[in-house]
Amino acid sequence: MDLFYETLKQKGFEGEIDTTDESRQFYSHDASLFELLPQVVVFPKNNTDLERLVAAVNECRDKVPGLSMTARSAGTDMSGAAVGESIIIDFTRHFNQIEEMTSNSSRTQPGVLYRVFEKASLEKGALLPSFPASRELASVGGMVANNSGGEKSLEFGKTENFVAKLNVVLADGKSYVLEPLDRKNLEVKLAEKGLEGDIYRQMYELLDKNYEKIKAAKPHVTKNSTGYNLWDVWDRETGIFDLTKLFVGSQGTLGLVSDINFRLINDKPHNGVLVAFMKNTDNLGEIINTVLTQKPASFESFDNHTLILSIKFFFFFHKTLGWKGLFKLGLQLLPDAFLLFRGIPKLVLLIEFTGETPQEVANKVHAMKMILKPYKLEATEEDSTEAKAWKFRIMRRESFNILRKKVKDKHTAPFIDDFVVPPPHLVEFLPQLSDIIKKYKLMATIAGHMGDGNFHVIPLMKIEDPAERAKLRPAMTEVNNLVLKYGGSISGEHNDGMIRGPWLIEMYGPEVMEFFKRTKQIFDKDNIFNPHKKTDATWDYTMSHIRQHF
Ligand SMILES: Cc1cc2nc3c(=O)[nH]c(=O)nc-3n(C[C@H](O)[C@H](O)[C@H](O)COP(=O)(O)OP(=O)(O)OC[C@H]3O[C@@H](n4cnc5c(N)ncnc54)[C@H](O)[C@@H]3O)c2cc1C
């Protein structure tokens, strides 16, 4: 590695280079099941530093085996894509400026935390609605690279819908702009020399030659973060060729994102929520389909385990809410104490409606309550201002974080954490999922975006125990096979990384897998960007890097 550090310095690298054990240990984990100890963590100062980094890696690659780069923003990735064994590039220290914010767009660096970004956008009346449940922790760069989504994705879709333009540094160590191109501008790119021209020529050839097959490979779900999003790049009808669609969700495996132009929305001014408590999940599939007929703005849920943990670790919310917020939360939860004394509900559903006036929202919420009446739910709470539902919203968003931080004797094991099943199949799917969870004795919490059929099943496991680890692969195989049997996707938003990369071939088949591999090769023939993730992931590598240190 000394050669690499020397080369980097010679090129005038202005950022910091950190090889201390403390930093390497810190960066060896993200929010996934895995650990990879990097050799060095670098903190580039500017775009030229990113170019210097890639150039230094290219220069030293032959003499320093395994030299590669893993981009990292806030490090909350659940698939193991923000860890690597060679160079970690931290974007949060210096790439953290919002360069422009208007009422419908923004230009920002990738290391800006979403919570900071949202504060600035709301000041202009604008919102990036694809924020994840990790909204207090994650960065906008990670949202782009994972194609993240969250509670508002049911109405607005995921991050892919809001990226207008990306500045990227590619494998030749040069900076490029990716944006939608019409036929005329595409022709210009196709005629260019160098890596950019090569990429456009080869990607165009791949996508046009296999047009129907690639379009047909698009999963039939409302959200998907698996594979490379090839089907949305080239549209013969509109004549638009848009490589941002491919880069979003590519988990830093095709290059580095240095700047992002977002389109933003102006959300409706009023919202309200129907909170529904379910005694059991018997009718869940049917209820989901019934709720969807009313076109809610969001439809979230969490289970009894999450509710119990939220109450047990009530003071944890202080971190996000501050003492004032915690006091408010406590006051708001008091009336529910009576409900909870009657027995903890198995599932809490949060069904949100938005509108132009408070009355419009109140009408929609009430209509929903009436429609659900025949299901004899344990209770429903109408809230035409969202104020009362806020307490449950916080629990839903923080559910995984509470598990991660607060349960001491077991660890969160995200491996079946993000599948999507088209809602019409949930009636059949859910009982079978339940059987698998019971068969493997997984103490699992369930939360998710019900409206998309996107479930976050997070088992709590003693992952250091070989008997527990041995459950991972067979349990995942059974769940994923079931998801695929119903035409679902194995990841709606958390993406592939190390955990789902080895599964891409099962989901897409060998031919589409070859298209994915070819794409990676076109952008990054020497595999310098985030190896062992997505198309480059293998079971052996993945399973031999399960976390040992907590
Ligand atoms: C409590 C909790 C709840 C979560 N809930 C959700 C959810 O509701 N929805 C959801 O989508 N996800 C969720 N996640 C997963 C994760 O938080 C999100 O995907 C988030 O957007 C990742 O952002 P990050 O800044 O932490 O990215 P990181 O973890 O730093 O990186 C994620 C990926 O992006 C790549 N990357 C980062 N920066 C760059 C860059 N500049 N250039 C190229 N590649 C880059 C990394 O290499 C990695 O592959 C959750 C995680 C936690 C811990």
Side-chain angles (χ1 to χ4, degrees), residues 14 114 133 140 151 194 217 219 237 250 260-261 265 269 277 281 298 300 336 361 400 403 448 477 484 490 497 508 540:
E14 294 170 51
Y114 175 78
V140 294
E151 61 205 41
E237 279 169 32
S250 63
I260 307 159
N261 283 61
I265 63 146
F277 302 93
T281 53
S298 73
E300 300 283 298
D336 295 293
V361 172
F400 175 54
L403 295 174
T477 303
L484 297 181
I490 53 176
Y508 290 100
D540 285 349

Side-chain angles (χ1 to χ4, degrees), residues 57-282:
V57 168
N58 281 331
E59 252 174 71
C60 302
R61 203 168 30 80
D62 286 345
K63 298 190 191 77
V64 186
L67 201 58
S68 68
M69 290 159 282
T70 296
R72 174 164 171 134
S73 289
T76 64
D77 190 278
M78 290 171 72
S79 69
V83 285
E85 291 188 283
S86 185
I87 305 161
I88 293 282
I89 309 175
D90 181 303
F91 279 86
T92 52
R93 187 177 290 180
H94 299 300
F95 279 79
N96 55 17
Q97 297 304 308
I98 300 173
E99 294 140 314
E100 199 181 294
M101 183 69 75
T102 75
S103 60
N104 58 15
S105 68
S106 81
R107 206 176 106 232
T108 179
Q109 292 185 314
V112 172
L113 293 180
Y114 175 78
R115 62 171 192 261
V116 174
F117 183 88
E118 189 187 84
K119 200 159 172 263
S121 76
L122 288 180
E123 278 170 17
K124 301 278 181 185
L127 183 72
L128 176 61
S130 59
F131 59 81
S134 50
R135 45 178 287 136
E136 300 298 327
L137 313 167
S139 75
V140 294
M143 284 170 63
V144 168
N146 272 352
N147 192 8
S148 285
E151 61 205 41
K152 284 193 172 288
S153 296
L154 182 62
E155 185 174 7
F156 298 104
K158 300 202 304 158
T159 305
E160 61 198 342
N161 291 354
F162 302 98
V163 173
K165 188 157 98 176
L166 291 174
N167 286 53
V168 296
V169 175
L170 297 181
D172 59 353
K174 292 186 184 154
S175 299
Y176 298 98
V177 173
L178 303 182
E179 59 189 330
L181 302 176
D182 58 17
R183 282 184 202 273
K184 206 169 122 213
N185 285 312
L186 176 62
E187 289 301 331
V188 175
K189 294 284 182 200
L190 291 174
E192 263 174 28
K193 291 202 173 76
L195 181 69
E196 192 183 25
D198 287 344
I199 287 177
Y200 275 97
R201 276 185 294 278
Q202 292 172 30
M203 283 307 301
Y204 178 79
E205 198 201 337
L206 177 74
L207 297 172
D208 198 59
K209 205 168 130 198
N210 303 289
Y211 194 79
E212 279 79 21
K213 283 180 191 159
I214 286 173
K215 292 281 177 196
K218 182 174 182 164
H220 297 288
V221 286
T222 51
K223 59 206 300 208
N224 172 57
S225 268
T226 58
Y228 289 124
N229 186 3
L230 293 177
W231 30 85
D232 287 333
V233 175
W234 170 223
D235 186 337
R236 280 181 187 161
E237 279 169 32
T238 59
I240 298 292
F241 193 92
D242 185 0
L243 284 179
T244 66
K245 298 288 182 201
L246 172 61
F247 234 78
V248 174
S250 63
Q251 295 202 297
T253 59
L254 303 179
L256 308 172
V257 174
S258 58
D259 219 63
I260 307 159
N261 283 61
F262 283 118
R263 281 184 288 273
L264 305 176
I265 63 146
N266 309 119
D267 209 356
K268 295 206 184 80
H270 300 281
N271 66 333
V273 178
L274 183 76
V275 185
F277 302 93
M278 294 181 68
K279 273 191 280 256
N280 55 55
T281 53
D282 292 351

